[in-house]
Amino acid sequence: MRIALCNEVIRELDFSAQCDMAAKLGYMGLEVSPFTLGDHPHLLTAGRRAELRQAATEAGIAITGLHWLLVTPQGLSINAPDEAIRKKTVDVIERLIGLCADLGGQVMVHGSPKQRSIPEGDDAAAARGRAVETLAAVARAAEKAGIIYCIEPLARHETNFVNTVAEAAKLVDEIGSPAFRTMIDTSAAGLTETVPVADLIRKWLPTGRIAHIQLNDTNRRAPGQGTDAFGPILSALKRMKYGGVAAVEPFIYEPDGPTTAALAIGYVRGILETLK
């Protein structure tokens, strides 16, 4: 299991400095949010992509993948009634898949709640069908690139489309691609699921549908900055021999991003030490 840092936590630094700080704090990977790379990250030149990958290499850290995919450009949606919007969304995601591969990443996490929520008054079944069509096209592109693309279950206050691992697993089975999987975000799961996160891990990890983990407290801060107990969560991952990435993804940075990143890795590594 590799512990990564979601790079938007320290996005006030340039990318080279982000890589350097994350590596020095003890993270093994950096999970990149494309919007931190510019307004049109899917259009980054080959030269810029090479520079980003080289920065990570020089810092001794891996770029493990991408998340928070559809913040920019504006106006994207996986289930909009307008076919032109959906086609543009597929094009952007396919280009982001290429970006992920060029950076050496292996996993992409599709959260982006606003770009998948079903508007009030829209037919839910029709909207779901459009989303399945979009995600099936994305899965085909991910297969070709050797990338695992994960639909992220999110809390109900964020979106009304795919809130539980069971709902995500149903979508995974329907699309039926080895490149399309789901994941567990500990904050969203803690707010939405009916069982503890550790039990959720023990239930779903053996099914092969879970390809990624994100670590955050239900108070939206980093692990160790709230009341959630991460000992059972990390113990479940160890016992189930999870060998993927567990990315630290807080949304509130107090007192600031770099300090939050430092506190989180110390807390997580401290727990992992007790589990050896």
Side-chain angles (χ1 to χ4, degrees):
M1 180 166 57
R2 293 182 292 167
I3 308 301
L5 175 67
C6 291
N7 82 310
E8 71 274 7
V9 178
I10 51 174
R11 62 182 178 267
E12 68 271 18
L13 304 176
D14 66 44
F15 191 76
S16 293
Q18 291 174 28
C19 294
D20 189 58
M21 172 174 283
K24 287 179 177 177
L25 287 176
Y27 289 95
M28 299 175 71
L30 203 63
E31 185 171 299
V32 176
S33 183
F35 79 86
T36 66
L37 304 178
D39 292 337
H40 296 88
H42 60 298
L43 300 179
L44 288 182
T45 66
R48 179 56 178 156
R49 297 177 186 210
E51 288 174 0
L52 295 171
R53 186 163 183 170
Q54 183 62 28
T57 299
E58 290 178 356
I61 196 167
I63 297 175
T64 57
L66 307 180
H67 73 291
W68 214 351
L69 305 176
L70 302 182
V71 175
T72 186
Q74 298 291 314
L76 302 176
S77 171
I78 65 171
N79 53 19
D82 189 330
E83 185 179 4
I85 292 176
R86 299 198 309 276
K87 284 185 175 179
K88 179 181 178 182
T89 301
V90 170
D91 179 66
V92 169
I93 296 175
E94 287 178 344
R95 292 174 185 269
L96 289 175
I97 288 170
L99 173 64
C100 185
D102 288 345
L103 296 180
Q106 298 176 318
V107 176
M108 294 173 65
V109 178
H110 188 124
S112 301
K114 292 181 181 179
Q115 293 81 13
R116 75 194 218 198
S117 291
I118 302 171
E120 187 176 350
D122 196 357
D123 182 275
R128 187 183 189 280
R130 294 191 295 267
V132 169
E133 182 181 341
T134 298
L135 293 171
V138 167
R140 290 191 293 271
E143 279 188 49
K144 292 178 182 178
I147 299 294
I148 298 297
Y149 195 94
C150 298
I151 185 71
E152 179 180 11
L154 290 173
R156 291 185 176 88
H157 73 271
E158 295 183 277
T159 184
N160 59 3
F161 183 66
V162 185
N163 302 116
T164 66
V165 173
E167 290 170 355
K170 185 177 180 180
L171 197 59
V172 168
D173 292 344
E174 186 171 348
I175 290 175
S177 166
F180 188 79
R181 313 268 282 283
T182 187
M183 49 83 66
I184 295 174
D185 176 288
T186 61
S187 177
L191 291 169
T192 304
E193 302 283 353
T194 58
V195 299
V197 176
D199 290 345
L200 199 69
I201 290 167
R202 284 188 283 268
K203 176 181 178 178
W204 287 104
L205 208 59
T207 70
R209 297 183 181 93
I210 304 297
H212 193 64
I213 303 290
Q214 286 178 336
L215 303 174
N216 35 33
D217 196 281
T218 50
N219 69 1
R220 296 178 66 80
R221 297 179 68 179
Q225 289 191 299
T227 59
D228 295 354
F230 281 82
I233 292 171
L234 294 170
S235 178
L237 290 171
K238 291 280 284 185
R239 287 181 179 274
M240 301 306 297
K241 298 182 180 179
Y242 175 67
V245 173
V248 170
E249 191 201 22
F251 296 95
I252 298 173
Y253 318 136
E254 293 180 356
D256 53 50
T259 305
T260 297
L263 289 169
I265 191 63
Y267 174 77
V268 170
R269 285 201 172 277
I271 293 174
L272 291 175
E273 281 295 316
T274 69
L275 298 176
K276 286 184 178 179

